[in-house]
Amino acid sequence: APAAERPAPEAERPTQEPARQESPVPRFRFVGALSTGYAIVETEGGGFAAVDPSAAHERVAYERLLANANVSDPPAQGLLVPQTAVLQPVDAQRVRSLLPTLAEMGFEVEDFGGDTFAVRSMPEPVKGASAKELLEDASRAFAEAGPKKARARWREELVAAAAAKLAVRGRERMDARQWIPLLLELAACRMPYATPSGRPTMVHFPAGDLERRFGR
């Protein structure tokens, strides 16, 4: 993505909301994509960055989902055919406690009683995802939240993180028309350099490093 003038930050701390990172330099030139799927972009100053498409999509989806919780009518994609999910009893119990949070973020989930739920709509970043996987992942994240419960928005964060992982399915190969909008969205993220779990979205190679490698 656009330029990163410092290494990717450590994984986001579980007990406090990190400060917004300085946005990458918005001026870049898309060079192309490698056979492995990574994008290469030339950054301001003559350096370049390698960008991981899955990690970039995960970060963008995560922040878009969190943003949904801040609006009164979050955008959602209605499903032509609602997805039914039958969960394990322990998962069903956890999902019930998350239903208000899911609704705030654009998920329309109906409790059918017992261990059965129907998902009737999803936020655009995760449209097409498996409802059963989404609810199971949200339940697992709820169980593993631990210290994250000290955060004011921990429920929203865990739902967004679980959903964002599903949003990257099938995004490993993209062409230039798909890359440019993604890079621009990544540049606008609060923390563009890493996924919610701390995996880097990009690796930057400044021009100075190249010159040193070539003995200039």
Side-chain angles (χ1 to χ4, degrees):
E5 296 302 331
R6 57 180 179 275
E10 297 178 0
E12 296 162 37
R13 304 298 184 186
T15 56
Q16 61 181 4
E17 181 70 18
R20 182 183 181 90
Q21 294 178 347
E22 180 183 350
S23 295
V25 178
R27 292 180 292 278
F28 62 87
R29 183 175 68 87
F30 179 78
V31 177
L34 303 178
S35 60
T36 50
Y38 298 100
I40 301 298
V41 297
E42 181 182 4
T43 58
E44 190 175 43
F48 71 92
V51 187
D52 180 338
S54 292
H57 270 293
E58 186 174 342
R59 166 50 66 180
V60 168
Y62 174 79
E63 296 207 8
R64 289 175 65 186
L65 288 164
L66 274 186
N68 278 3
N70 294 327
V71 297
S72 58
D73 187 18
Q77 180 80 32
L79 305 181
L80 293 176
V81 179
Q83 293 190 42
T84 302
V86 180
L87 307 178
Q88 294 297 318
V90 66
D91 290 326
Q93 183 178 357
R94 292 175 189 145
V95 167
R96 283 192 179 91
S97 69
L98 288 172
L99 286 178
T101 301
L102 288 164
E104 288 175 2
M105 300 176 73
F107 297 91
E108 184 183 352
V109 183
E110 183 176 353
D111 184 354
F112 277 179
D115 305 321
T116 304
F117 298 84
V119 177
R120 300 186 180 280
S121 65
M122 294 186 184
E124 193 278 333
V126 292
K127 64 181 181 182
S130 163
K132 189 173 191 298
E133 281 187 87
L134 170 68
L135 297 180
E136 287 175 339
D137 288 353
S139 168
R140 189 176 303 112
F142 184 91
E144 297 171 353
K148 292 183 180 179
K149 293 182 180 180
R151 289 188 182 182
R153 302 178 66 202
W154 67 273
R155 286 183 174 84
E156 290 88 342
E157 289 179 7
L158 72 85
V159 168
K165 289 181 180 179
L166 297 178
V168 305
R169 300 279 176 85
R171 305 294 181 92
E172 292 80 8
R173 295 289 187 275
M174 302 192 303
D175 59 27
R177 290 173 298 176
Q178 296 169 303
W179 265 113
I180 301 301
L182 175 61
L183 293 171
L184 292 173
E185 282 196 89
L186 184 63
C189 283
R190 181 181 180 85
M191 295 191 68
Y193 298 105
T195 66
S197 63
R199 190 164 63 91
T201 59
M202 67 183 83
V203 178
H204 185 233
F205 301 87
D209 287 358
L210 296 176
E211 291 173 352
R212 282 191 293 272
R213 291 292 185 92
F214 285 105
R216 292 188 178 183

